Amino acid sequence: MKTKALRLYGKKDLRLEEFELPPIKKDELLVKIIVDSLCMSSYKAACQAGDHKRVPDDVATNPTIIGHEFCGEIIEVGESIKDQYKTGDKFSIQPSMKGTYSATGYTFAHLGGNAQYGIIPACYAKEDNVLHYDGDAYFSAALAEPLSCVIGAVHANYHTTQGVYVHTMDIKKGGKMALLAGAGPMGLGLIDYVIHRDHKPSLLVVTDIDDERLGRASAILSAEEAAKNGVTLKYVNTKTEDPVAKLKALSDGHGFDDAFVFAPVAPVIEQADAILAYDGCLNFFAGPTDTGFQAKFNFYDVHYNATHIAGTSGGNTDDMREALRMSGEGKLNPAILITHIGGLDSAKYATLNMPDIPGGKKMIYTHISMPLTAISDFGEKGKTDPMFRRLHEICAGNNGLWSAEAEKYLLENAPAI
């Protein structure tokens, strides 16, 4: 079978090519990839190529396929694993392999998200990294991996009991939680997860320094929606006022049991430290690029008030399963992360220019031809293009968000690549 795919040959050397896939082996899967969610990690891999830990040294002669957040359908099952998988099933994938740097989207010649078809190697089936998905929207499963990152961060927080040397994992149930610099796409994912799970805080305060981002966040995930689920949700701009005093006042002087930092900015980390309650846990979520990045931390409070730090750089397979289950049940809405849609022919541009393209997640539908387009621009493009006009109508009727209806219309009406 032939496939078109975006392949990595060297530093910023991405090529959209068509090539032949080999026949699958008895313990492999042939899959049709429908959509890939672009990740900043792919930009880093494209920039570093063979210098990246996950990319093979010989990538120039044995190119790999970029993209690791994707969803599709199984179209052929190897003879020895027919009891595990069925043709026609939707799937997502946990890209990282335990105990190795190998990962889809970085390492493999025949598997990556920015492709029309691919071969899932035996190691993924053996490690149970191919995850079944029952929902209607392909994009929801493609976003299970980034959602697993925020889910994993919540599970990684912990609390202590004086004199007991076993940590209680997760945020404090019924406690007070702050999300600093949290009105971006991943912050929205965390808010959605926290207010719709069973183990939740009583208060969630979300800060940012941009009124537009805060306004969009509150329109998508409102205080009313949170209240229906038993959470008091407040959005706060901390640009001009004393953020520590304001946040402490919102906690009624208690401080925060859990504080998540979603920007690698030293003053924001120090704000989080200053608002921690007794036994408060600061979760540093945002990954810095500076290997020498530092911030101050109050060690008096570490000693006398049991404050402490947690941090994660991704989720595990169980976190992905939780994301898939909650999305399939309608408890999570991954569409809140999405701001741009494109076809496979826009994947190279989008990947190499990711730091300069504003907004949230960029979704690449691999069987269509379409320039990368912001959902907010559908209306303008719709003045001359009936497809964009209809997409604008669908998204406008869904609070400006992407949806299963929009995806279905796109797949049925966009030109094939």
Side-chain angles (χ1 to χ4, degrees):
M1 174 178 284
K2 286 187 176 181
T3 185
K4 291 184 176 74
L6 187 64
R7 299 207 280 185
L8 176 65
Y9 281 83
K11 294 179 179 179
K12 295 191 175 182
D13 185 0
L14 292 174
R15 306 177 197 177
L16 180 58
E17 300 176 319
E18 185 174 52
F19 58 95
E20 192 81 27
L21 290 172
I24 65 168
K25 299 175 183 176
K26 63 179 182 179
D27 49 4
E28 295 181 334
L29 299 168
L30 179 65
V31 295
K32 179 181 181 180
I33 296 162
I34 304 296
V35 62
D36 178 71
S37 165
L38 298 186
C39 176
M40 188 62 74
S41 297
S42 293
Y43 167 75
K44 294 174 183 176
C47 290
Q48 297 175 1
D51 290 339
H52 194 286
K53 285 186 176 181
R54 296 189 185 275
V55 178
D57 293 338
D58 64 348
V59 68
T61 53
N62 292 291
T64 62
I65 302 173
I66 206 94
H68 59 276
E69 301 173 1
F70 57 90
C71 175
E73 296 177 354
I74 297 171
I75 60 174
E76 187 180 346
V77 180
E79 191 62 37
S80 69
I81 53 174
K82 287 186 180 292
D83 59 334
Q84 293 176 253
Y85 304 98
K86 293 189 300 182
T87 58
D89 279 359
K90 297 188 185 77
F91 76 94
S92 184
I93 197 162
Q94 165 57 261
S96 298
M97 298 295 300
K98 294 177 183 177
T100 175
Y101 284 116
S102 295
T104 180
Y106 302 89
T107 309
F108 298 104
H110 299 134
L111 185 65
N114 286 298
Q116 295 176 314
Y117 299 92
I119 296 173
I120 296 180
C123 54
Y124 276 90
K126 182 179 179 181
E127 295 293 332
D128 201 22
N129 280 30
V130 184
L131 307 178
H132 183 77
Y133 172 62
D134 287 321
D136 294 329
Y138 291 100
F139 69 82
S140 291
L143 290 169
E145 197 278 338
L147 282 174
S148 77
C149 297
V150 297
I151 291 172
V154 171
H155 289 319
N157 262 36
Y158 64 97
H159 294 279
T160 63
T161 301
Q162 190 171 12
V164 178
Y165 303 115
V166 178
H167 295 163
T168 301
M169 302 305 298
D170 216 299
I171 61 173
K172 185 173 182 178
K173 189 173 184 178
K176 301 179 190 296
M177 175 176 163
L179 171 54
L180 307 189
M186 294 302 284
L188 291 177
L190 182 65
I191 299 165
D192 194 24
Y193 174 62
V194 164
I195 66 176
H196 290 115
R197 70 195 298 244
D198 294 330
H199 188 110
K200 64 190 72 174
S202 60
L203 172 69
L204 174 58
V205 178
V206 181
T207 77
D208 206 283
I209 57 173
D210 186 293
D211 282 332
E212 185 176 345
R213 283 198 298 266
L214 286 166
R216 182 175 184 269
S218 63
I220 293 170
L221 293 163
S222 67
E224 292 75 18
E225 171 66 16
K228 285 191 295 185
N229 290 276
V231 179
T232 299
L233 174 61
K234 297 181 181 293
Y235 292 97
V236 179
N237 190 318
T238 54
K239 186 174 183 179
T240 56
E241 301 182 49
D242 179 352
V244 171
K246 186 165 188 174
L247 292 170
K248 281 188 173 180
L250 289 172
S251 74
D252 295 327
H254 170 80
F256 290 85
D257 303 293
D258 299 278
F260 287 77
V261 177
F262 267 49
V265 178
V268 180
I269 297 170
E270 290 160 13
Q271 285 174 25
D273 176 31
I275 63 173
L276 290 176
Y278 180 86
D279 188 42
C281 185
L282 188 160
N283 188 300
F284 182 53
F285 182 87
T289 55
D290 178 5
T291 57
F293 178 77
Q294 296 179 353
K296 294 179 181 177
F297 199 74
N298 187 326
F299 279 88
Y300 178 92
D301 285 341
V302 170
H303 188 79
Y304 288 105
N305 291 318
T307 58
H308 47 273
I309 295 177
T312 54
S313 60
N316 63 24
T317 305
D318 286 337
D319 298 325
M320 278 195 69
R321 288 195 182 96
E322 187 174 356
L324 290 166
R325 176 181 57 78
M326 291 184 70
S327 296
E329 293 172 351
K331 293 181 179 179
L332 291 181
N333 182 11
I336 63 178
L337 278 67
I338 301 170
T339 57
H340 293 69
I341 305 295
L344 186 58
D345 49 352
S346 69
K348 176 180 177 178
Y349 163 80
T351 301
L352 294 179
N353 292 279
M354 207 174 300
D356 302 317
I357 304 173
K361 280 292 185 179
K362 287 76 180 171
M363 307 304 292
I364 299 298
Y365 286 89
T366 62
H367 290 262
I368 71 166
S369 173
M370 177 178 164
L372 187 73
T373 307
I375 294 172
S376 58
D377 291 339
F378 284 176
E380 184 62 30
K381 283 184 170 286
K383 292 177 181 178
T384 56
D385 188 319
M387 185 189 76
F388 280 107
R389 182 165 60 248
R390 180 57 186 146
L391 286 172
H392 171 68
E393 292 169 354
I394 296 170
C395 293
N398 190 44
N399 201 20
L401 299 176
W402 195 239
S403 65
E405 182 185 2
E407 179 181 78
K408 184 174 185 293
Y409 177 82
L410 179 76
L411 293 173
E412 291 175 352
N413 293 275
I417 185 169

